[in-house]
Amino acid sequence: MDSGRRDVPIPPHRITPLKENWIKIYKPLVETLLVQVRFNMKSRLVQIRTCPETKDKDAIQKAADFVQAFALGFDVEDAIALLRLDQLFLDSFQIEDVKNLKGDHLSRAIGRIAGKNGRTKFTIENVTKTRIVIADHKIHILGSYQNIRTARTAISNLILGRAPARVYRNLRSMSARATF
Amino acid sequence: MADQIKFDSQQIFGLFNKSVSDLTSFLRPNKKIENDLRDLTLKLFELFKLNSGVPGIKDLVTEGFDEEQIWAQLEKHNHTFMKIIDKDVSNLSSLAKKLTKTVKIDIPQDDDFDILEPASSGEDEEEELKKLLGPREKFVGKMLSTFEQEQLQMDEKITKLEEENLKSKPWKLIGEVTADKRPANSLLEDHLQYDFIARPAPIIDEQVALKLEDLIKQRIKDGIWDDVERKIKPAEQPFEYKRRLILDQEKSKVGLAEVYEKDYLQRTQQDKVEEENETHKEIRKMMSAIFLQLDSLSSFHFTPKPPEPEVKIVNNLPAVSAEDTIPVAVSEANLLAPEEVLEKPKRPVKGATERDTTDRKHDRRLKKKKQKIIAARKNAKKISNVEKLSQSAKQKAKQAEKLERTQKQRQMKPSQLKT
C-alpha cells in the first residue's frame, strides 16, 4: 500500500449522507490534519493523500480511519472522536460469529440488539460510552478498548437470547465499578 | 357506775346529734356550734378518763385552743393509753405460752402445733387459747405405751401416703402439659430443669476478660489487624430498583468525542480540587488559631445570632405519579412484579419430595463447589498467617540476639577493668 495515499470505498447507502456532511468531513481533514482529500464520483471512493504541508506521519491513517468510520454508518460527530483521541478503536463483527442464526432467529436477534425505537442500542451506547452501528447482521462498535469489550459482551448476550433487563443489570454493575 | 356512763353517753350523743342534725349550719363558721362541740369533747374526754383510769394528761384544755391543738393533746393521751394496752397484751401472750408448754409435755406426738406464733391482740388471744386447748383435750389424761404411739404414727403415715397416691398427680409429673392444663403462674413459681438448644452466653468474669486482653495485646504486638468487618446488606426500597432500572434510553445529543472529553475533564478536575484543598486547609487552620486568640482578647462574650431557617420552595407537583392506571389504595411497592424485586431462580423451585436424581446431583455439585471455594480461601489465609508469624518470630530472634550482645558487653567490661 502506498504510504502517502488511501482510498476509502463508500457504500451506495452512505453516498447521500456523505454529500450532506461533506463540509464537516473535509474541513478537519484539510485544516487540522493537513492532508488532501477528494470524493471520486465514478469509482465512489474517498481518496486521501499526503502533501508537503502534512506534518504528522499518522495523519493519513487517522484520516482514512475517520472516513472509514463514516462509511460504516457512524455520525460525523462521533467519527471525529477518532481524530481527536488516540485510544479510540473500531471493532466489527457479525452475528454469525457469536451464534449461527438463520431466518427469523437472525431477524429477532437483530431486533433484540436494537430494541424498540433503538432503545436497547442507545442504552448500551450511553452506559458503555461507545457508539454502535447495526447494519443487517454486521455490528460495528466505536470506543475505547475496555468500553468496546463491555459493549461487545452485552451485544453477544443479547444475540444468545438473554432478556434485555438482565443485560442492563450487568451493564449497570459494570458501569458502577468503572466509576469507583 | 355503768348507769352513770350510760346516762352520760346518752346525753353526749343527744347533744351531738342535735348540733349535727342541721347540716346547713356548717356552711358558715358558727360560734355556737363550735362551743357546743368543744364542750362535748371535754365531756367525752372526762368520761373516758374516769372509766379507763389511765394516767395520761390531767385535763383537756379547750379554751383559746384551735382544733389542731386539742387533737394534739388527745393524741398524747392516746399514746400513753396504747402503751398500757400493749403491756397487757404481752402479759397475756406469755401466759398463753406457759399454758401451751404444759400441754406439749402431755402430747409429744403433735408436731403441727406452732408455739412460736405470737398473739396479735387481746381479743384474738382468748380465741387462740381456746383453739389451742380444744383438740388436745382428748389426749390429755390418756397415757399411751411406746408401742401404741408408734402404731399411731405408722397409721398416720399410711393414711397420708394412701391419700397422696389416690390424689391426682401434680401437673409436673403427668408429662406434656399445655398452659390451660396447669394453674396460672405455676411455671413462674418453679425451678425448672431443661436442656438448652442454643449455646448459652459465656459468663464474662475476670479471668475471661484477662484472657481476652492477652489475646488483644498479642495481636497488637504481632501487628495483625485483620479483624472481620461486619457486612451489612443495605435494605433497598422496592421502587429504587425500578428507578435504577431505567437507564438513559435516548440517543445521546453529544458526539463521542465530547463524552470522552467530559470524562477526562471530570477526572483531572477532581485531582485539581484535591490539590487546592491542602493549601486551603493550612490557611483555614491558621485562620482559626488566630481568630481564637483574637476572640480571647476581645469578644468572648459575643454570641452570634441563631441561623435563620432555610426557606424551602415546594413545587406544585402531582402527588401521584401517573404511570399506570391503578386503584387508589394500592401501595407503590405492589406495582412491581415479584421478578422485579427479586431475581427469579433459573430452575423451578422444588420441594424435598419433588426432587429427582438430577436435581439432587445438581445441588450436590453446587455444594461441593462452594465448599471448595471456602476451603481454598481458608488455605490462603492460613498461609498468609504463617508468613506473618514467621516474620514476627524472626524479628523476635533478632531482638534476642541484640540483648545477648549487650549483656555480654556488660559482662566483659568489669573483667576488662580487672585486667
Side-chain angles (χ1 to χ4, degrees), chain A residues 78 84 126 129 131 144, chain B residues 248-250 252 256 260-261:
Chain A
D78 299 331
R84 289 180 62 183
N126 292 331
K129 287 171 192 158
R131 291 291 174 268
S144 70
Chain B
D248 188 8
Q249 295 185 332
E250 299 303 307
S252 73
L256 197 59
Y260 278 89
E261 189 184 319

Side-chain angles (χ1 to χ4, degrees), chain B residues 59-298:
Chain B
D59 309 295
L60 193 68
V61 185
T62 52
E63 254 172 64
F65 278 29
D66 64 356
E67 67 268 18
E68 281 297 326
Q69 284 162 324
I70 295 167
W71 178 244
Q73 288 176 63
L74 282 175
E75 213 171 18
K76 201 183 171 194
H77 184 81
N78 284 344
H79 190 68
T80 47
F81 180 62
M82 281 305 288
K83 265 187 185 169
I84 289 162
I85 279 187
D86 259 2
K87 223 182 225 171
D88 286 356
V89 167
S90 60
N91 280 341
L92 254 174
S93 66
S94 65
L95 202 116
K97 266 182 201 173
K98 270 181 199 168
L99 262 172
T100 49
K101 267 180 194 169
T102 53
V103 169
K104 216 193 167 190
I105 293 159
D106 288 343
I107 323 139
Q109 59 266 74
D110 195 350
D111 37 5
D112 284 337
F113 177 54
D114 192 0
I115 335 152
L116 293 173
E117 197 177 81
S120 50
S121 69
E123 282 178 0
D124 291 343
E125 183 70 14
E126 274 175 50
E127 276 179 28
E128 226 160 67
L129 271 177
K130 266 183 196 169
K131 232 196 266 173
L132 293 174
L133 292 170
R136 239 144 250 111
E137 275 167 9
K138 58 183 173 183
F139 290 109
V140 175
K142 244 190 202 178
M143 291 300 287
L144 296 174
S145 65
T146 47
F147 173 72
E148 274 173 331
Q149 281 174 8
E150 271 175 16
Q151 209 63 23
L152 264 174
Q153 261 179 327
M154 190 65 84
D155 281 348
E156 234 170 67
K157 225 177 202 175
I158 287 165
T159 47
K160 218 179 189 180
L161 283 172
E162 275 174 353
E163 266 172 28
E164 258 175 33
N165 276 341
L166 286 174
K167 256 193 267 173
S168 57
K169 278 180 186 173
W171 65 272
K172 279 180 277 185
L173 300 177
I174 57 170
E176 204 168 312
V177 178
T178 50
D180 55 336
K181 277 180 188 167
R182 61 178 166 75
N185 290 338
S186 56
L187 254 185
L188 292 176
E189 291 151 8
D190 258 310
H191 293 285
L192 299 177
Q193 275 192 335
Y194 53 90
D195 295 330
F196 283 103
I197 299 165
R199 220 167 119 184
I203 302 156
I204 306 294
D205 55 358
E206 204 178 347
Q207 249 185 343
V208 176
L210 280 174
K211 240 185 209 173
L212 271 176
E213 216 165 88
D214 284 346
L215 201 72
I216 292 164
K217 274 180 191 166
Q218 189 55 45
R219 283 177 81 83
I220 290 168
K221 273 179 197 165
D222 295 346
I224 300 169
W225 313 104
D226 58 348
D227 277 6
V228 181
E229 274 173 40
R230 183 173 276 278
K231 282 173 200 158
I232 299 163
K233 194 179 181 186
E236 206 174 63
Q237 298 288 324
F239 241 71
E240 266 173 46
Y241 180 84
K242 202 164 195 181
R243 209 163 286 148
R244 271 194 299 127
L245 198 77
I246 299 162
L247 299 161
D248 188 8
Q249 295 185 332
E250 299 303 307
K251 188 184 177 177
S252 73
K253 279 148 200 154
V254 290
L256 197 59
E258 277 93 277
V259 173
Y260 278 89
E261 189 184 319
K262 217 189 271 173
D263 199 30
Y264 173 75
L265 281 176
Q266 223 173 19
R267 259 184 288 148
T268 48
Q269 272 176 353
Q270 266 183 354
D271 294 343
K272 263 187 195 170
V273 166
E274 276 171 25
E275 272 175 33
E276 281 174 351
N277 255 355
E278 280 192 13
T279 48
H280 278 202
K281 253 186 213 168
E282 224 172 280
I283 291 166
R284 211 166 290 140
K285 215 175 171 186
M286 288 160 77
M287 286 268 275
S288 61
I290 282 180
F291 280 141
L292 191 72
Q293 284 174 343
L294 288 175
D295 281 349
S296 66
L297 282 177
S298 62

Side-chain angles (χ1 to χ4, degrees), chain A residues 2 6 15-16 26 31-32 36-37 47 51 57 60-61 65 76 101 115 119 122 128 133 143:
Chain A
D2 186 1
R6 293 282 190 283
I15 284 177
T16 333
Y26 88 81
E31 285 173 6
T32 58
Q36 294 179 341
V37 63
Q47 295 175 321
C51 58
K57 267 187 185 175
I60 183 103
Q61 187 56 46
D65 284 345
V76 186
L101 296 170
R119 266 189 209 162
F122 289 136
T128 59
V133 167

Side-chain angles (χ1 to χ4, degrees), chain A residues 14-146:
Chain A
R14 292 301 284 170
I15 284 177
T16 333
L18 182 79
K19 279 178 185 167
E20 280 168 4
N21 291 308
W22 182 246
I23 299 171
K24 283 187 197 165
I25 290 167
Y26 88 81
K27 262 192 177 170
L29 294 185
V30 174
E31 285 173 6
T32 58
L33 288 178
L34 305 169
V35 292
Q36 294 179 341
V37 63
R38 75 169 180 188
F39 179 53
N40 194 333
M41 289 291 280
K42 202 180 177 189
S43 57
R44 286 176 174 172
L45 288 171
V46 172
Q47 295 175 321
I48 309 163
R49 71 172 182 194
T50 50
C51 58
E53 283 80 29
T54 313
K55 283 171 189 167
D56 202 354
K57 267 187 185 175
D58 304 339
I60 183 103
Q61 187 56 46
K62 270 188 183 175
D65 284 345
F66 167 56
V67 177
Q68 179 66 44
F70 183 78
L72 286 175
F74 290 102
D75 283 344
V76 186
E77 287 81 20
D78 299 331
I80 271 182
L82 279 169
L83 301 181
R84 289 180 62 183
L85 299 165
D86 281 335
Q87 69 276 30
L88 235 55
F89 302 98
L90 219 164
D91 187 48
S92 301
F93 67 97
Q94 291 187 359
I95 289 176
E96 281 83 5
D97 296 343
V98 182
K99 195 181 188 185
N100 216 354
L101 296 170
K102 284 195 179 79
D104 282 349
H105 300 294
L106 183 67
S107 321
R108 255 182 272 127
I110 293 165
R112 265 204 303 281
I113 297 165
K116 192 185 177 189
N117 297 329
R119 266 189 209 162
T120 313
K121 193 193 89 165
F122 289 136
T123 311
I124 296 171
E125 280 184 359
N126 292 331
V127 173
T128 59
K129 287 171 192 158
T130 53
R131 291 291 174 268
I132 298 163
V133 167
I134 304 164
D136 203 12
H137 59 122
K138 278 183 184 150
I139 292 154
H140 312 288
I141 310 172
L142 179 69
S144 70
Y145 179 72
Q146 197 59 38

